[in-house]
Amino acid sequence: MRRRRRRDIIIELTSLLDVIMIIIFMVMKENSRMIVDKQNALDSAQQVNSEQAERIDDLSGKTDKLSEQLAEAQGKLDEGSTEELLEQLQAAENKLAGYEAIDDVVIVLHIGLENKYNNTVRCLTYGKTSEKSEVCENHNDEEFDVSLNKLRVFVADYIKKVLDDKENQTIVYVVFSYDPYKVYERDYEAVGNALTDAESQANNGNFRYRINPVSE
């Protein structure tokens, strides 16, 4: 009887251990699942926080930029009173109207020559006074010569208009502006010679040019 009881006890303990192991396995599995879920939730929260931080930084940047623009606008207003700004605007409009009126009678061409950035760039501009000018920035003699040839072609078109006008009513007036202290003598002479040649080609008092030295 005693042996049978011990055997029964061993069988019962074995079964109990199996049950305990199953329970432990289930608990470990559940804990693992909960850890994974919490880690996923933490990752999601961190992602949301990161996105919100980026939005805040972006909004802060836009706010700073807007503040700079407002400060710039305020600075411009502080430089002069509203009345002065309105007077300047009216003067500009009157000047533009004057140019348009001149264009009905005389074609005014403007040619400008200046050096920029510590004489590293030689800028040649030309065009009708009432229109946007062509701007040529040159870094060496070759580039300048190319721009000068373009200027010659531009002026030649207006010489042709003068010569083709049988009624002798087309008048072209060229103004060559430059700062004598900020240009190369070679460049000044090249532009001047081009205009002198153009005036000779026209051989007509209706095509004239004058030099306008300017300085700051």
Side-chain angles (χ1 to χ4, degrees), residues 22-68:
I22 292 173
I23 293 174
I24 292 173
F25 176 76
M26 293 178 64
V27 171
M28 291 177 63
K29 185 176 181 180
E30 181 65 19
N31 286 341
S32 297
R33 185 186 65 79
M34 292 177 63
I35 291 173
V36 172
D37 291 343
K38 289 182 178 180
Q39 185 62 46
N40 291 336
L42 179 61
D43 292 342
S44 298
Q46 290 177 343
Q47 179 66 25
V48 172
N49 289 338
S50 177
E51 292 177 354
Q52 289 179 346
E54 290 178 359
R55 292 175 183 174
I56 292 173
D57 291 340
D58 184 56
L59 179 60
S60 177
K62 291 180 179 179
T63 302
D64 292 341
K65 185 175 182 180
L66 179 59
S67 298
E68 291 176 1

mmCIF file of all heavy atoms in Angstrom, residues 22-68:
data_model
loop_
_atom_site.group_PDB
_atom_site.id
_atom_site.type_symbol
_atom_site.label_atom_id
_atom_site.label_comp_id
_atom_site.label_asym_id
_atom_site.label_seq_id
_atom_site.Cartn_x
_atom_site.Cartn_y
_atom_site.Cartn_z
ATOM 1 N N ILE A 22 3.158 24.895 -17.708
ATOM 2 C CA ILE A 22 2.254 25.497 -18.719
ATOM 3 C C ILE A 22 1.847 26.893 -18.284
ATOM 4 O O ILE A 22 1.825 27.849 -19.078
ATOM 5 C CB ILE A 22 1.020 24.597 -18.938
ATOM 6 C CG1 ILE A 22 1.463 23.281 -19.615
ATOM 7 C CG2 ILE A 22 -0.021 25.316 -19.778
ATOM 8 C CD1 ILE A 22 0.354 22.256 -19.718
ATOM 9 N N ILE A 23 1.501 27.013 -16.980
ATOM 10 C CA ILE A 23 1.081 28.330 -16.467
ATOM 11 C C ILE A 23 2.228 29.338 -16.587
ATOM 12 O O ILE A 23 2.034 30.476 -17.014
ATOM 13 C CB ILE A 23 0.624 28.197 -15.003
ATOM 14 C CG1 ILE A 23 -0.664 27.372 -14.941
ATOM 15 C CG2 ILE A 23 0.407 29.580 -14.389
ATOM 16 C CD1 ILE A 23 -1.120 27.058 -13.523
ATOM 17 N N ILE A 24 3.465 28.877 -16.195
ATOM 18 C CA ILE A 24 4.619 29.774 -16.288
ATOM 19 C C ILE A 24 4.848 30.198 -17.738
ATOM 20 O O ILE A 24 5.118 31.372 -18.032
ATOM 21 C CB ILE A 24 5.864 29.075 -15.715
ATOM 22 C CG1 ILE A 24 5.714 28.893 -14.199
ATOM 23 C CG2 ILE A 24 7.117 29.882 -16.037
ATOM 24 C CD1 ILE A 24 6.822 28.074 -13.577
ATOM 25 N N PHE A 25 4.754 29.262 -18.671
ATOM 26 C CA PHE A 25 4.934 29.565 -20.095
ATOM 27 C C PHE A 25 3.898 30.585 -20.569
ATOM 28 O O PHE A 25 4.220 31.543 -21.291
ATOM 29 C CB PHE A 25 4.840 28.274 -20.896
ATOM 30 C CG PHE A 25 4.913 28.496 -22.378
ATOM 31 C CD1 PHE A 25 6.122 28.773 -22.994
ATOM 32 C CD2 PHE A 25 3.764 28.446 -23.162
ATOM 33 C CE1 PHE A 25 6.189 28.980 -24.363
ATOM 34 C CE2 PHE A 25 3.832 28.656 -24.521
ATOM 35 C CZ PHE A 25 5.046 28.917 -25.125
ATOM 36 N N MET A 26 2.652 30.377 -20.148
ATOM 37 C CA MET A 26 1.592 31.302 -20.547
ATOM 38 C C MET A 26 1.829 32.690 -19.968
ATOM 39 O O MET A 26 1.614 33.701 -20.643
ATOM 40 C CB MET A 26 0.234 30.761 -20.089
ATOM 41 C CG MET A 26 -0.195 29.482 -20.811
ATOM 42 S SD MET A 26 -1.766 28.831 -20.216
ATOM 43 C CE MET A 26 -2.863 30.168 -20.676
ATOM 44 N N VAL A 27 2.293 32.731 -18.704
ATOM 45 C CA VAL A 27 2.569 34.027 -18.067
ATOM 46 C C VAL A 27 3.704 34.742 -18.786
ATOM 47 O O VAL A 27 3.647 35.944 -19.059
ATOM 48 C CB VAL A 27 2.901 33.828 -16.568
ATOM 49 C CG1 VAL A 27 3.409 35.133 -15.963
ATOM 50 C CG2 VAL A 27 1.675 33.344 -15.821
ATOM 51 N N MET A 28 4.766 33.970 -19.130
ATOM 52 C CA MET A 28 5.908 34.565 -19.829
ATOM 53 C C MET A 28 5.499 35.076 -21.208
ATOM 54 O O MET A 28 5.915 36.158 -21.642
ATOM 55 C CB MET A 28 7.021 33.532 -19.964
ATOM 56 C CG MET A 28 7.693 33.166 -18.640
ATOM 57 S SD MET A 28 8.939 31.867 -18.838
ATOM 58 C CE MET A 28 10.094 32.684 -19.916
ATOM 59 N N LYS A 29 4.654 34.301 -21.871
ATOM 60 C CA LYS A 29 4.187 34.717 -23.202
ATOM 61 C C LYS A 29 3.350 35.984 -23.115
ATOM 62 O O LYS A 29 3.476 36.901 -23.928
ATOM 63 C CB LYS A 29 3.386 33.580 -23.828
ATOM 64 C CG LYS A 29 2.949 33.855 -25.250
ATOM 65 C CD LYS A 29 2.241 32.662 -25.848
ATOM 66 C CE LYS A 29 1.821 32.943 -27.284
ATOM 67 N NZ LYS A 29 1.122 31.791 -27.897
ATOM 68 N N GLU A 30 2.482 36.020 -22.081
ATOM 69 C CA GLU A 30 1.636 37.201 -21.903
ATOM 70 C C GLU A 30 2.482 38.422 -21.561
ATOM 71 O O GLU A 30 2.237 39.529 -22.058
ATOM 72 C CB GLU A 30 0.602 36.937 -20.785
ATOM 73 C CG GLU A 30 -0.348 38.104 -20.534
ATOM 74 C CD GLU A 30 -1.246 38.402 -21.713
ATOM 75 O OE1 GLU A 30 -1.399 37.512 -22.585
ATOM 76 O OE2 GLU A 30 -1.805 39.517 -21.786
ATOM 77 N N ASN A 31 3.502 38.230 -20.716
ATOM 78 C CA ASN A 31 4.386 39.336 -20.364
ATOM 79 C C ASN A 31 5.140 39.851 -21.605
ATOM 80 O O ASN A 31 5.318 41.058 -21.786
ATOM 81 C CB ASN A 31 5.393 38.892 -19.302
ATOM 82 C CG ASN A 31 4.748 38.755 -17.924
ATOM 83 O OD1 ASN A 31 3.675 39.319 -17.683
ATOM 84 N ND2 ASN A 31 5.385 38.011 -17.027
ATOM 85 N N SER A 32 5.582 38.903 -22.436
ATOM 86 C CA SER A 32 6.286 39.293 -23.659
ATOM 87 C C SER A 32 5.380 40.121 -24.566
ATOM 88 O O SER A 32 5.791 41.128 -25.146
ATOM 89 C CB SER A 32 6.785 38.054 -24.400
ATOM 90 O OG SER A 32 7.726 37.346 -23.623
ATOM 91 N N ARG A 33 4.113 39.663 -24.682
ATOM 92 C CA ARG A 33 3.156 40.399 -25.520
ATOM 93 C C ARG A 33 2.917 41.804 -24.976
ATOM 94 O O ARG A 33 2.868 42.793 -25.721
ATOM 95 C CB ARG A 33 1.838 39.632 -25.603
ATOM 96 C CG ARG A 33 0.823 40.266 -26.560
ATOM 97 C CD ARG A 33 -0.512 39.552 -26.475
ATOM 98 N NE ARG A 33 -1.112 39.714 -25.159
ATOM 99 C CZ ARG A 33 -1.748 40.839 -24.793
ATOM 100 N NH1 ARG A 33 -1.830 41.860 -25.615
ATOM 101 N NH2 ARG A 33 -2.278 40.916 -23.592
ATOM 102 N N MET A 34 2.778 41.885 -23.638
ATOM 103 C CA MET A 34 2.538 43.185 -23.020
ATOM 104 C C MET A 34 3.743 44.109 -23.207
ATOM 105 O O MET A 34 3.580 45.307 -23.446
ATOM 106 C CB MET A 34 2.240 42.999 -21.525
ATOM 107 C CG MET A 34 0.912 42.299 -21.248
ATOM 108 S SD MET A 34 0.628 42.003 -19.485
ATOM 109 C CE MET A 34 0.562 43.686 -18.895
ATOM 110 N N ILE A 35 4.953 43.547 -23.117
ATOM 111 C CA ILE A 35 6.163 44.348 -23.318
ATOM 112 C C ILE A 35 6.230 44.877 -24.742
ATOM 113 O O ILE A 35 6.546 46.045 -24.993
ATOM 114 C CB ILE A 35 7.411 43.516 -22.984
ATOM 115 C CG1 ILE A 35 7.470 43.244 -21.470
ATOM 116 C CG2 ILE A 35 8.676 44.234 -23.445
ATOM 117 C CD1 ILE A 35 8.577 42.292 -21.079
ATOM 118 N N VAL A 36 5.909 43.989 -25.705
ATOM 119 C CA VAL A 36 5.907 44.405 -27.112
ATOM 120 C C VAL A 36 4.886 45.506 -27.353
ATOM 121 O O VAL A 36 5.151 46.502 -28.034
ATOM 122 C CB VAL A 36 5.635 43.199 -28.022
ATOM 123 C CG1 VAL A 36 5.426 43.666 -29.474
ATOM 124 C CG2 VAL A 36 6.796 42.206 -27.959
ATOM 125 N N ASP A 37 3.663 45.309 -26.774
ATOM 126 C CA ASP A 37 2.616 46.317 -26.943
ATOM 127 C C ASP A 37 3.040 47.659 -26.349
ATOM 128 O O ASP A 37 2.819 48.720 -26.944
ATOM 129 C CB ASP A 37 1.321 45.844 -26.283
ATOM 130 C CG ASP A 37 0.693 44.672 -27.029
ATOM 131 O OD1 ASP A 37 1.091 44.459 -28.202
ATOM 132 O OD2 ASP A 37 -0.169 43.981 -26.457
ATOM 133 N N LYS A 38 3.642 47.598 -25.161
ATOM 134 C CA LYS A 38 4.072 48.842 -24.531
ATOM 135 C C LYS A 38 5.193 49.504 -25.324
ATOM 136 O O LYS A 38 5.239 50.730 -25.446
ATOM 137 C CB LYS A 38 4.541 48.558 -23.105
ATOM 138 C CG LYS A 38 3.391 48.209 -22.155
ATOM 139 C CD LYS A 38 3.901 47.977 -20.747
ATOM 140 C CE LYS A 38 2.744 47.663 -19.786
ATOM 141 N NZ LYS A 38 3.213 47.427 -18.398
ATOM 142 N N GLN A 39 6.107 48.691 -25.878
ATOM 143 C CA GLN A 39 7.188 49.247 -26.679
ATOM 144 C C GLN A 39 6.646 49.902 -27.939
ATOM 145 O O GLN A 39 7.091 50.988 -28.343
ATOM 146 C CB GLN A 39 8.183 48.141 -27.051
ATOM 147 C CG GLN A 39 9.418 48.650 -27.796
ATOM 148 C CD GLN A 39 10.238 49.607 -26.975
ATOM 149 O OE1 GLN A 39 10.494 49.341 -25.798
ATOM 150 N NE2 GLN A 39 10.628 50.732 -27.554
ATOM 151 N N ASN A 40 5.647 49.233 -28.572
ATOM 152 C CA ASN A 40 5.023 49.821 -29.763
ATOM 153 C C ASN A 40 4.332 51.136 -29.425
ATOM 154 O O ASN A 40 4.397 52.107 -30.179
ATOM 155 C CB ASN A 40 4.023 48.844 -30.370
ATOM 156 C CG ASN A 40 4.705 47.630 -30.994
ATOM 157 O OD1 ASN A 40 5.887 47.695 -31.368
ATOM 158 N ND2 ASN A 40 3.989 46.526 -31.111
ATOM 159 N N ALA A 41 3.629 51.139 -28.279
ATOM 160 C CA ALA A 41 2.950 52.362 -27.852
ATOM 161 C C ALA A 41 3.963 53.470 -27.581
ATOM 162 O O ALA A 41 3.747 54.635 -27.929
ATOM 163 C CB ALA A 41 2.108 52.086 -26.597
ATOM 164 N N LEU A 42 5.088 53.099 -26.960
ATOM 165 C CA LEU A 42 6.131 54.082 -26.686
ATOM 166 C C LEU A 42 6.732 54.622 -27.981
ATOM 167 O O LEU A 42 6.956 55.833 -28.117
ATOM 168 C CB LEU A 42 7.221 53.441 -25.828
ATOM 169 C CG LEU A 42 8.419 54.336 -25.469
ATOM 170 C CD1 LEU A 42 7.953 55.551 -24.674
ATOM 171 C CD2 LEU A 42 9.458 53.544 -24.676
ATOM 172 N N ASP A 43 6.986 53.732 -28.964
ATOM 173 C CA ASP A 43 7.525 54.170 -30.246
ATOM 174 C C ASP A 43 6.560 55.122 -30.944
ATOM 175 O O ASP A 43 6.969 56.128 -31.536
ATOM 176 C CB ASP A 43 7.807 52.955 -31.145
ATOM 177 C CG ASP A 43 8.965 52.112 -30.613
ATOM 178 O OD1 ASP A 43 9.737 52.629 -29.789
ATOM 179 O OD2 ASP A 43 9.061 50.931 -31.019
ATOM 180 N N SER A 44 5.260 54.778 -30.891
ATOM 181 C CA SER A 44 4.254 55.643 -31.518
ATOM 182 C C SER A 44 4.226 57.006 -30.852
ATOM 183 O O SER A 44 4.133 58.055 -31.517
ATOM 184 C CB SER A 44 2.870 54.989 -31.433
ATOM 185 O OG SER A 44 2.856 53.759 -32.142
ATOM 186 N N ALA A 45 4.304 57.019 -29.528
ATOM 187 C CA ALA A 45 4.290 58.290 -28.803
ATOM 188 C C ALA A 45 5.515 59.130 -29.152
ATOM 189 O O ALA A 45 5.428 60.346 -29.330
ATOM 190 C CB ALA A 45 4.233 58.024 -27.291
ATOM 191 N N GLN A 46 6.675 58.462 -29.235
ATOM 192 C CA GLN A 46 7.891 59.179 -29.601
ATOM 193 C C GLN A 46 7.804 59.746 -31.009
ATOM 194 O O GLN A 46 8.268 60.856 -31.278
ATOM 195 C CB GLN A 46 9.097 58.252 -29.480
ATOM 196 C CG GLN A 46 9.455 57.892 -28.040
ATOM 197 C CD GLN A 46 10.603 56.904 -27.969
ATOM 198 O OE1 GLN A 46 10.939 56.241 -28.953
ATOM 199 N NE2 GLN A 46 11.208 56.774 -26.789
ATOM 200 N N GLN A 47 7.193 58.973 -31.944
ATOM 201 C CA GLN A 47 7.024 59.452 -33.310
ATOM 202 C C GLN A 47 6.123 60.681 -33.357
ATOM 203 O O GLN A 47 6.403 61.660 -34.054
ATOM 204 C CB GLN A 47 6.433 58.332 -34.181
ATOM 205 C CG GLN A 47 6.187 58.733 -35.631
ATOM 206 C CD GLN A 47 7.467 59.019 -36.372
ATOM 207 O OE1 GLN A 47 8.519 58.507 -36.008
ATOM 208 N NE2 GLN A 47 7.399 59.854 -37.392
ATOM 209 N N VAL A 48 5.015 60.621 -32.591
ATOM 210 C CA VAL A 48 4.090 61.755 -32.535
ATOM 211 C C VAL A 48 4.790 62.976 -31.956
ATOM 212 O O VAL A 48 4.657 64.096 -32.467
ATOM 213 C CB VAL A 48 2.844 61.390 -31.693
ATOM 214 C CG1 VAL A 48 1.984 62.634 -31.461
ATOM 215 C CG2 VAL A 48 2.034 60.324 -32.395
ATOM 216 N N ASN A 49 5.558 62.764 -30.887
ATOM 217 C CA ASN A 49 6.279 63.878 -30.279
ATOM 218 C C ASN A 49 7.287 64.478 -31.250
ATOM 219 O O ASN A 49 7.467 65.700 -31.312
ATOM 220 C CB ASN A 49 7.003 63.402 -29.010
ATOM 221 C CG ASN A 49 6.035 63.110 -27.875
ATOM 222 O OD1 ASN A 49 4.920 63.626 -27.864
ATOM 223 N ND2 ASN A 49 6.458 62.296 -26.919
ATOM 224 N N SER A 50 7.968 63.600 -32.004
ATOM 225 C CA SER A 50 8.948 64.088 -32.979
ATOM 226 C C SER A 50 8.275 64.921 -34.064
ATOM 227 O O SER A 50 8.771 65.986 -34.452
ATOM 228 C CB SER A 50 9.680 62.899 -33.602
ATOM 229 O OG SER A 50 10.587 63.337 -34.592
ATOM 230 N N GLU A 51 7.122 64.433 -34.575
ATOM 231 C CA GLU A 51 6.403 65.172 -35.617
ATOM 232 C C GLU A 51 5.916 66.517 -35.086
ATOM 233 O O GLU A 51 5.983 67.539 -35.775
ATOM 234 C CB GLU A 51 5.224 64.337 -36.123
ATOM 235 C CG GLU A 51 5.661 63.092 -36.900
ATOM 236 C CD GLU A 51 4.474 62.240 -37.317
ATOM 237 O OE1 GLU A 51 3.338 62.569 -36.903
ATOM 238 O OE2 GLU A 51 4.677 61.247 -38.039
ATOM 239 N N GLN A 52 5.417 66.521 -33.844
ATOM 240 C CA GLN A 52 4.944 67.770 -33.259
ATOM 241 C C GLN A 52 6.105 68.749 -33.072
ATOM 242 O O GLN A 52 5.962 69.953 -33.287
ATOM 243 C CB GLN A 52 4.263 67.492 -31.915
ATOM 244 C CG GLN A 52 2.924 66.782 -32.053
ATOM 245 C CD GLN A 52 2.277 66.488 -30.714
ATOM 246 O OE1 GLN A 52 2.935 66.577 -29.673
ATOM 247 N NE2 GLN A 52 1.004 66.143 -30.734
ATOM 248 N N ALA A 53 7.286 68.211 -32.682
ATOM 249 C CA ALA A 53 8.455 69.077 -32.507
ATOM 250 C C ALA A 53 8.861 69.701 -33.839
ATOM 251 O O ALA A 53 9.220 70.877 -33.909
ATOM 252 C CB ALA A 53 9.609 68.274 -31.914
ATOM 253 N N GLU A 54 8.802 68.889 -34.925
ATOM 254 C CA GLU A 54 9.137 69.418 -36.252
ATOM 255 C C GLU A 54 8.155 70.504 -36.666
ATOM 256 O O GLU A 54 8.552 71.519 -37.237
ATOM 257 C CB GLU A 54 9.140 68.285 -37.278
ATOM 258 C CG GLU A 54 10.293 67.300 -37.103
ATOM 259 C CD GLU A 54 10.234 66.170 -38.115
ATOM 260 O OE1 GLU A 54 9.277 66.151 -38.927
ATOM 261 O OE2 GLU A 54 11.135 65.300 -38.105
ATOM 262 N N ARG A 55 6.862 70.264 -36.383
ATOM 263 C CA ARG A 55 5.859 71.279 -36.729
ATOM 264 C C ARG A 55 6.090 72.561 -35.948
ATOM 265 O O ARG A 55 5.946 73.671 -36.474
ATOM 266 C CB ARG A 55 4.454 70.733 -36.448
ATOM 267 C CG ARG A 55 4.036 69.592 -37.385
ATOM 268 C CD ARG A 55 2.704 69.013 -36.979
ATOM 269 N NE ARG A 55 2.336 67.888 -37.832
ATOM 270 C CZ ARG A 55 1.274 67.115 -37.623
ATOM 271 N NH1 ARG A 55 0.484 67.343 -36.591
ATOM 272 N NH2 ARG A 55 1.016 66.115 -38.455
ATOM 273 N N ILE A 56 6.453 72.411 -34.691
ATOM 274 C CA ILE A 56 6.709 73.592 -33.860
ATOM 275 C C ILE A 56 7.912 74.362 -34.384
ATOM 276 O O ILE A 56 7.908 75.588 -34.481
ATOM 277 C CB ILE A 56 6.932 73.176 -32.387
ATOM 278 C CG1 ILE A 56 5.608 72.648 -31.792
ATOM 279 C CG2 ILE A 56 7.441 74.354 -31.555
ATOM 280 C CD1 ILE A 56 5.763 72.060 -30.404
ATOM 281 N N ASP A 57 8.979 73.611 -34.762
ATOM 282 C CA ASP A 57 10.172 74.258 -35.312
ATOM 283 C C ASP A 57 9.850 74.970 -36.610
ATOM 284 O O ASP A 57 10.320 76.087 -36.873
ATOM 285 C CB ASP A 57 11.280 73.220 -35.550
ATOM 286 C CG ASP A 57 11.841 72.679 -34.238
ATOM 287 O OD1 ASP A 57 11.658 73.351 -33.196
ATOM 288 O OD2 ASP A 57 12.458 71.590 -34.259
ATOM 289 N N ASP A 58 9.047 74.306 -37.471
ATOM 290 C CA ASP A 58 8.675 74.907 -38.749
ATOM 291 C C ASP A 58 7.857 76.175 -38.538
ATOM 292 O O ASP A 58 8.079 77.200 -39.188
ATOM 293 C CB ASP A 58 7.882 73.889 -39.581
ATOM 294 C CG ASP A 58 7.540 74.421 -40.958
ATOM 295 O OD1 ASP A 58 8.467 74.808 -41.690
ATOM 296 O OD2 ASP A 58 6.347 74.467 -41.293
ATOM 297 N N LEU A 59 6.907 76.086 -37.611
ATOM 298 C CA LEU A 59 6.074 77.255 -37.315
ATOM 299 C C LEU A 59 6.917 78.371 -36.729
ATOM 300 O O LEU A 59 6.729 79.548 -37.059
ATOM 301 C CB LEU A 59 4.966 76.849 -36.330
ATOM 302 C CG LEU A 59 4.005 77.971 -35.891
ATOM 303 C CD1 LEU A 59 3.284 78.540 -37.104
ATOM 304 C CD2 LEU A 59 2.993 77.447 -34.877
ATOM 305 N N SER A 60 7.875 78.001 -35.888
ATOM 306 C CA SER A 60 8.758 79.009 -35.295
ATOM 307 C C SER A 60 9.583 79.694 -36.369
ATOM 308 O O SER A 60 9.780 80.911 -36.350
ATOM 309 C CB SER A 60 9.665 78.344 -34.263
ATOM 310 O OG SER A 60 10.578 79.279 -33.730
ATOM 311 N N GLY A 61 10.080 78.886 -37.347
ATOM 312 C CA GLY A 61 10.861 79.461 -38.437
ATOM 313 C C GLY A 61 10.046 80.426 -39.273
ATOM 314 O O GLY A 61 10.507 81.503 -39.641
ATOM 315 N N LYS A 62 8.795 80.031 -39.580
ATOM 316 C CA LYS A 62 7.926 80.907 -40.368
ATOM 317 C C LYS A 62 7.612 82.185 -39.602
ATOM 318 O O LYS A 62 7.540 83.276 -40.174
ATOM 319 C CB LYS A 62 6.636 80.166 -40.733
ATOM 320 C CG LYS A 62 6.841 79.025 -41.724
ATOM 321 C CD LYS A 62 5.528 78.336 -42.042
ATOM 322 C CE LYS A 62 5.751 77.210 -43.068
ATOM 323 N NZ LYS A 62 4.502 76.503 -43.374
ATOM 324 N N THR A 63 7.421 82.041 -38.301
ATOM 325 C CA THR A 63 7.131 83.210 -37.481
ATOM 326 C C THR A 63 8.316 84.160 -37.463
ATOM 327 O O THR A 63 8.162 85.382 -37.574
ATOM 328 C CB THR A 63 6.793 82.773 -36.036
ATOM 329 O OG1 THR A 63 5.685 81.871 -36.069
ATOM 330 C CG2 THR A 63 6.432 83.974 -35.193
ATOM 331 N N ASP A 64 9.522 83.602 -37.340
ATOM 332 C CA ASP A 64 10.725 84.438 -37.347
ATOM 333 C C ASP A 64 10.872 85.162 -38.680
ATOM 334 O O ASP A 64 11.239 86.349 -38.722
ATOM 335 C CB ASP A 64 11.968 83.587 -37.080
ATOM 336 C CG ASP A 64 11.992 83.049 -35.658
ATOM 337 O OD1 ASP A 64 11.267 83.603 -34.807
ATOM 338 O OD2 ASP A 64 12.716 82.058 -35.411
ATOM 339 N N LYS A 65 10.604 84.442 -39.794
ATOM 340 C CA LYS A 65 10.724 85.048 -41.114
ATOM 341 C C LYS A 65 9.717 86.177 -41.282
ATOM 342 O O LYS A 65 10.038 87.239 -41.821
ATOM 343 C CB LYS A 65 10.514 83.987 -42.201
ATOM 344 C CG LYS A 65 10.751 84.512 -43.607
ATOM 345 C CD LYS A 65 10.637 83.396 -44.621
ATOM 346 C CE LYS A 65 10.917 83.908 -46.032
ATOM 347 N NZ LYS A 65 10.805 82.815 -47.031
ATOM 348 N N LEU A 66 8.482 85.929 -40.814
ATOM 349 C CA LEU A 66 7.452 86.965 -40.898
ATOM 350 C C LEU A 66 7.850 88.169 -40.064
ATOM 351 O O LEU A 66 7.656 89.314 -40.477
ATOM 352 C CB LEU A 66 6.110 86.393 -40.424
ATOM 353 C CG LEU A 66 4.922 87.362 -40.420
ATOM 354 C CD1 LEU A 66 4.683 87.911 -41.825
ATOM 355 C CD2 LEU A 66 3.666 86.674 -39.906
ATOM 356 N N SER A 67 8.427 87.921 -38.901
ATOM 357 C CA SER A 67 8.866 89.018 -38.045
ATOM 358 C C SER A 67 9.945 89.839 -38.735
ATOM 359 O O SER A 67 9.959 91.072 -38.654
ATOM 360 C CB SER A 67 9.393 88.470 -36.715
ATOM 361 O OG SER A 67 8.372 87.781 -36.012
ATOM 362 N N GLU A 68 10.866 89.152 -39.434
ATOM 363 C CA GLU A 68 11.911 89.857 -40.167
ATOM 364 C C GLU A 68 11.318 90.718 -41.275
ATOM 365 O O GLU A 68 11.742 91.855 -41.494
ATOM 366 C CB GLU A 68 12.901 88.858 -40.755
ATOM 367 C CG GLU A 68 13.749 88.137 -39.709
ATOM 368 C CD GLU A 68 14.652 87.091 -40.329
ATOM 369 O OE1 GLU A 68 14.612 86.955 -41.568
ATOM 370 O OE2 GLU A 68 15.396 86.421 -39.586
#
